[in-house]
Amino acid sequence: MTDPSHPPVLSLTRLRALHGLTAAEARVVAALARGASIIETARDLGVAEATARHHVKQAFTKTGTHRQADLVRLILADPLMHGRRGG
């Protein structure tokens, strides 16, 4: 669980290394883990909603998850995932 007033800062580098995500996939997954919706994430990253959804589907495949909640739970459960912004 995270405090919505203090969203987690996730290590994009660790996301990429640990799960084999691309930079774009890692950015989308990190945004979802911070509590953003797909629509908000797409808007904030300047991509189409379909593109953001594609990145999530790729992340599902690479992490062995099937639902967004499972993906977020997996990411937030790793104590080493929390790092400095953008790192």
Side-chain angles (χ1 to χ4, degrees):
M1 301 292 301
T2 61
D3 179 350
S5 64
H6 295 92
V9 177
L10 302 174
S11 169
L12 297 181
T13 301
R14 182 154 172 84
L15 263 175
R16 293 182 68 194
L18 188 62
H19 299 290
L21 302 179
T22 66
E25 291 162 355
R27 285 190 297 271
V28 170
V29 168
L32 296 176
R34 287 191 301 271
S37 69
I38 289 281
I39 294 169
E40 293 167 330
T41 298
R43 182 195 63 225
D44 293 347
L45 296 176
V47 299
E49 184 181 339
T51 301
R53 289 188 187 284
H54 175 75
H55 291 319
V56 172
K57 287 179 185 177
Q58 292 299 108
F60 287 161
T61 299
K62 292 177 180 182
T63 61
T65 57
H66 301 283
R67 295 179 27 227
Q68 188 172 315
D70 295 334
L71 176 62
V72 168
R73 191 173 9 259
L74 174 73
I75 300 310
L76 294 179
D78 182 351
L80 299 177
M81 189 59 63
H82 306 273
R84 54 186 163 71
R85 187 163 303 282

